[in-house]
Amino acid sequence: MGDIPVRLLSVGTALPGPPIDTAALAAAFGMDQVWRQWVDTFIGTRTRHLAVDLSTGERREGLADLGERAAAQALARAGVSAEDVDVVVFGTATPDTLMPATVNVVADRLRIDGVPTFQLQSGCSGAVQTFDVAASLLSTGRYRTALVIGGDVIAKHYDVKADLTALPPDELVNYVLFGDGAGAAVLAVGDHPEAPVLRSVLTRLSGLGRAPGQTLRWYGLADRDGSEAPASEDYKAIEEHVPVLAEETADELLDDLGWDRSEVGYLLPPQLSVTMTAKITARLAFPAAEEVSCVAETGNNGNALLFFQLDRLLPAMARPSRAIAVAIESSKWIRSGLALERV
C-alpha cells in the first residue's frame, strides 16, 4: 500500500426493518410454493431486509438513514469523534438523490465538516473503491483518519403491486436476490498496533467489449413513463463472468503480495447469492481459509456487503492471520479486492 501502513480500526453496519424470509416475500406477491422452492434452490437467500413496507410500498428508511447509523457505530467502536475524521468516502449505486450527494447528507448529520468528501457511483465494487481512495489519501501523510461508507437501498425500485408471474427473468430476479443495508469502517494511520493492516487494495475495470450485466435507471419527468424497467439483470452473464473475474482478482492480489493460497486464513468471497457464492468459493480454492459470508441472511445489499463481512471477520481474526476479500461489480464489470493482515 505504501510506506505508511493503513489500519482498519472498526466496522459498523445497519439494516432496515426486520428480516423478511422467502415465505413472507412469496405471500406479499401472491407467489406459490413452487416459486418458493425455486428461490431456495437457485438463489439460496433465506432472509433479506427491505427499506420499504411490502404491504404499502411506503419507504421506511433511506440510504442516508442507514449510512448514518452504520457510520456512527463504526466511529463509536473506534473511539473516534467526528472532529477526528479527515476525509469521508461513500460508495453506492443507489444514492437517495443525485444532489445533494448522500455522502454530504450523512457527514452533515454526523457533524463532520471542513473535510474532503467523495461519493463513488458503483455497484458492489464501490465498497472496495472507498478503501482504495481513502487508503491512497491516508498514505500521502496529509490525513490520519478516514471514514468509509458503503450501502444501497435497492427496494426503492420495487413495485409492490407487480405481478411477478408476468415479469421476465431479468426483472424477476431483482425481487429475490437483493436486500438493503449500509456499512462503514474507520481507517487510520498512526499507532494502532492491535488493528489489522490493509496490505493491498485492487480495483480494475474489466468491461471492455462486454455488455452490462446489470442496469439501474434514473427517471426524470420526461422519461418516467417509458417502457424500460427501472432495474434489470443478465443473470446468465453474471454466472458466466463473475467466477472468472473473482479468480483473476484473487490471483493478482496474491501475486502482488507474494502470498501463497495456503497462508490465507479467511476468505470474503463475492456475495451475489448463496448458490453463486458457493460456486465461486470452490473455484477460488483457498485450502486453509475460513469463509466469511453474510448473503444468506442479508440478501445481496450491494455496497454494504463487504462491511457486513468485515464486521464478522474482525472479532474472529486471529493474530497472526491473513484475509482476502473479493467483490465484483457486474454492471460494467469491475473486479476488486483487498488484503488484510493482523500481525
Side-chain angles (χ1 to χ4, degrees), residues 167-181:
L167 291 182
D170 65 333
E171 294 178 43
L172 174 62
V173 71
N174 291 303
Y175 283 83
V176 298
L177 198 63
F178 293 104
D180 301 328

PDB file of all heavy atoms in Angstrom, residues 167-181:
ATOM      1  N   LEU A 167     -43.423 -11.132 -15.022  1.00  0.00           N
ATOM      2  CA  LEU A 167     -42.148 -10.463 -15.246  1.00  0.00           C
ATOM      3  C   LEU A 167     -41.158 -11.372 -15.961  1.00  0.00           C
ATOM      4  O   LEU A 167     -41.091 -12.574 -15.684  1.00  0.00           O
ATOM      5  CB  LEU A 167     -41.541 -10.031 -13.908  1.00  0.00           C
ATOM      6  CG  LEU A 167     -42.245  -8.914 -13.135  1.00  0.00           C
ATOM      7  CD1 LEU A 167     -41.476  -8.601 -11.861  1.00  0.00           C
ATOM      8  CD2 LEU A 167     -42.388  -7.660 -13.994  1.00  0.00           C
ATOM      9  N   PRO A 168     -40.345 -10.817 -16.856  1.00  0.00           N
ATOM     10  CA  PRO A 168     -39.272 -11.599 -17.461  1.00  0.00           C
ATOM     11  C   PRO A 168     -38.194 -11.895 -16.420  1.00  0.00           C
ATOM     12  O   PRO A 168     -38.089 -11.182 -15.415  1.00  0.00           O
ATOM     13  CB  PRO A 168     -38.739 -10.677 -18.568  1.00  0.00           C
ATOM     14  CG  PRO A 168     -39.095  -9.298 -18.112  1.00  0.00           C
ATOM     15  CD  PRO A 168     -40.389  -9.433 -17.375  1.00  0.00           C
ATOM     16  N   PRO A 169     -37.390 -12.927 -16.644  1.00  0.00           N
ATOM     17  CA  PRO A 169     -36.385 -13.315 -15.642  1.00  0.00           C
ATOM     18  C   PRO A 169     -35.440 -12.200 -15.236  1.00  0.00           C
ATOM     19  O   PRO A 169     -35.032 -12.123 -14.067  1.00  0.00           O
ATOM     20  CB  PRO A 169     -35.635 -14.458 -16.339  1.00  0.00           C
ATOM     21  CG  PRO A 169     -36.618 -15.034 -17.302  1.00  0.00           C
ATOM     22  CD  PRO A 169     -37.428 -13.866 -17.784  1.00  0.00           C
ATOM     23  N   ASP A 170     -35.056 -11.297 -16.171  1.00  0.00           N
ATOM     24  CA  ASP A 170     -34.088 -10.257 -15.838  1.00  0.00           C
ATOM     25  C   ASP A 170     -34.648  -9.220 -14.881  1.00  0.00           C
ATOM     26  O   ASP A 170     -33.897  -8.476 -14.256  1.00  0.00           O
ATOM     27  CB  ASP A 170     -33.555  -9.582 -17.110  1.00  0.00           C
ATOM     28  CG  ASP A 170     -34.627  -8.824 -17.874  1.00  0.00           C
ATOM     29  OD1 ASP A 170     -35.812  -9.200 -17.759  1.00  0.00           O
ATOM     30  OD2 ASP A 170     -34.272  -7.865 -18.584  1.00  0.00           O
ATOM     31  N   GLU A 171     -35.972  -9.162 -14.734  1.00  0.00           N
ATOM     32  CA  GLU A 171     -36.594  -8.285 -13.747  1.00  0.00           C
ATOM     33  C   GLU A 171     -37.006  -9.056 -12.502  1.00  0.00           C
ATOM     34  O   GLU A 171     -36.871  -8.564 -11.381  1.00  0.00           O
ATOM     35  CB  GLU A 171     -37.822  -7.595 -14.350  1.00  0.00           C
ATOM     36  CG  GLU A 171     -37.503  -6.635 -15.477  1.00  0.00           C
ATOM     37  CD  GLU A 171     -38.757  -6.012 -16.057  1.00  0.00           C
ATOM     38  OE1 GLU A 171     -39.649  -5.619 -15.274  1.00  0.00           O
ATOM     39  OE2 GLU A 171     -38.874  -5.928 -17.300  1.00  0.00           O
ATOM     40  N   LEU A 172     -37.485 -10.286 -12.676  1.00  0.00           N
ATOM     41  CA  LEU A 172     -37.943 -11.090 -11.546  1.00  0.00           C
ATOM     42  C   LEU A 172     -36.834 -11.345 -10.533  1.00  0.00           C
ATOM     43  O   LEU A 172     -37.049 -11.297  -9.319  1.00  0.00           O
ATOM     44  CB  LEU A 172     -38.495 -12.427 -12.060  1.00  0.00           C
ATOM     45  CG  LEU A 172     -38.894 -13.456 -10.992  1.00  0.00           C
ATOM     46  CD1 LEU A 172     -40.018 -12.911 -10.112  1.00  0.00           C
ATOM     47  CD2 LEU A 172     -39.328 -14.766 -11.654  1.00  0.00           C
ATOM     48  N   VAL A 173     -35.615 -11.590 -11.006  1.00  0.00           N
ATOM     49  CA  VAL A 173     -34.529 -11.952 -10.109  1.00  0.00           C
ATOM     50  C   VAL A 173     -34.229 -10.844  -9.106  1.00  0.00           C
ATOM     51  O   VAL A 173     -33.791 -11.104  -7.987  1.00  0.00           O
ATOM     52  CB  VAL A 173     -33.265 -12.321 -10.923  1.00  0.00           C
ATOM     53  CG1 VAL A 173     -32.652 -11.093 -11.574  1.00  0.00           C
ATOM     54  CG2 VAL A 173     -32.238 -13.022 -10.049  1.00  0.00           C
ATOM     55  N   ASN A 174     -34.513  -9.592  -9.478  1.00  0.00           N
ATOM     56  CA  ASN A 174     -34.227  -8.481  -8.566  1.00  0.00           C
ATOM     57  C   ASN A 174     -35.107  -8.513  -7.316  1.00  0.00           C
ATOM     58  O   ASN A 174     -34.721  -7.967  -6.277  1.00  0.00           O
ATOM     59  CB  ASN A 174     -34.420  -7.150  -9.294  1.00  0.00           C
ATOM     60  CG  ASN A 174     -33.365  -6.929 -10.362  1.00  0.00           C
ATOM     61  OD1 ASN A 174     -32.180  -6.950 -10.077  1.00  0.00           O
ATOM     62  ND2 ASN A 174     -33.787  -6.732 -11.593  1.00  0.00           N
ATOM     63  N   TYR A 175     -36.262  -9.134  -7.410  1.00  0.00           N
ATOM     64  CA  TYR A 175     -37.160  -9.191  -6.258  1.00  0.00           C
ATOM     65  C   TYR A 175     -36.701 -10.221  -5.222  1.00  0.00           C
ATOM     66  O   TYR A 175     -37.119 -10.157  -4.069  1.00  0.00           O
ATOM     67  CB  TYR A 175     -38.583  -9.526  -6.712  1.00  0.00           C
ATOM     68  CG  TYR A 175     -39.307  -8.360  -7.327  1.00  0.00           C
ATOM     69  CD1 TYR A 175     -39.127  -8.033  -8.663  1.00  0.00           C
ATOM     70  CD2 TYR A 175     -40.170  -7.576  -6.571  1.00  0.00           C
ATOM     71  CE1 TYR A 175     -39.792  -6.956  -9.241  1.00  0.00           C
ATOM     72  CE2 TYR A 175     -40.843  -6.497  -7.139  1.00  0.00           C
ATOM     73  CZ  TYR A 175     -40.646  -6.195  -8.471  1.00  0.00           C
ATOM     74  OH  TYR A 175     -41.310  -5.121  -9.032  1.00  0.00           O
ATOM     75  N   VAL A 176     -35.884 -11.163  -5.616  1.00  0.00           N
ATOM     76  CA  VAL A 176     -35.496 -12.236  -4.695  1.00  0.00           C
ATOM     77  C   VAL A 176     -34.023 -12.169  -4.309  1.00  0.00           C
ATOM     78  O   VAL A 176     -33.624 -12.698  -3.269  1.00  0.00           O
ATOM     79  CB  VAL A 176     -35.797 -13.624  -5.300  1.00  0.00           C
ATOM     80  CG1 VAL A 176     -37.277 -13.774  -5.541  1.00  0.00           C
ATOM     81  CG2 VAL A 176     -35.033 -13.857  -6.595  1.00  0.00           C
ATOM     82  N   LEU A 177     -33.217 -11.523  -5.129  1.00  0.00           N
ATOM     83  CA  LEU A 177     -31.774 -11.530  -4.926  1.00  0.00           C
ATOM     84  C   LEU A 177     -31.317 -10.484  -3.923  1.00  0.00           C
ATOM     85  O   LEU A 177     -30.378 -10.719  -3.144  1.00  0.00           O
ATOM     86  CB  LEU A 177     -31.083 -11.272  -6.276  1.00  0.00           C
ATOM     87  CG  LEU A 177     -29.617 -11.644  -6.428  1.00  0.00           C
ATOM     88  CD1 LEU A 177     -29.416 -13.143  -6.275  1.00  0.00           C
ATOM     89  CD2 LEU A 177     -29.111 -11.177  -7.793  1.00  0.00           C
ATOM     90  N   PHE A 178     -31.991  -9.336  -3.905  1.00  0.00           N
ATOM     91  CA  PHE A 178     -31.430  -8.171  -3.228  1.00  0.00           C
ATOM     92  C   PHE A 178     -32.071  -7.875  -1.881  1.00  0.00           C
ATOM     93  O   PHE A 178     -33.192  -8.266  -1.591  1.00  0.00           O
ATOM     94  CB  PHE A 178     -31.537  -6.943  -4.132  1.00  0.00           C
ATOM     95  CG  PHE A 178     -30.675  -7.044  -5.349  1.00  0.00           C
ATOM     96  CD1 PHE A 178     -31.226  -7.329  -6.593  1.00  0.00           C
ATOM     97  CD2 PHE A 178     -29.310  -6.893  -5.248  1.00  0.00           C
ATOM     98  CE1 PHE A 178     -30.421  -7.445  -7.718  1.00  0.00           C
ATOM     99  CE2 PHE A 178     -28.496  -6.994  -6.363  1.00  0.00           C
ATOM    100  CZ  PHE A 178     -29.053  -7.276  -7.603  1.00  0.00           C
ATOM    101  N   GLY A 179     -31.313  -7.137  -1.088  1.00  0.00           N
ATOM    102  CA  GLY A 179     -31.773  -6.559   0.162  1.00  0.00           C
ATOM    103  C   GLY A 179     -31.186  -5.171   0.279  1.00  0.00           C
ATOM    104  O   GLY A 179     -30.443  -4.719  -0.591  1.00  0.00           O
ATOM    105  N   ASP A 180     -31.496  -4.479   1.368  1.00  0.00           N
ATOM    106  CA  ASP A 180     -30.996  -3.125   1.603  1.00  0.00           C
ATOM    107  C   ASP A 180     -30.111  -3.109   2.840  1.00  0.00           C
ATOM    108  O   ASP A 180     -30.264  -3.932   3.749  1.00  0.00           O
ATOM    109  CB  ASP A 180     -32.163  -2.159   1.800  1.00  0.00           C
ATOM    110  CG  ASP A 180     -33.103  -2.131   0.597  1.00  0.00           C
ATOM    111  OD1 ASP A 180     -32.614  -2.318  -0.529  1.00  0.00           O
ATOM    112  OD2 ASP A 180     -34.317  -1.933   0.797  1.00  0.00           O
ATOM    113  N   GLY A 181     -29.202  -2.151   2.900  1.00  0.00           N
ATOM    114  CA  GLY A 181     -28.337  -2.033   4.068  1.00  0.00           C
ATOM    115  C   GLY A 181     -27.206  -1.067   3.828  1.00  0.00           C
ATOM    116  O   GLY A 181     -27.005  -0.566   2.717  1.00  0.00           O
TER     117      GLY A 181
END
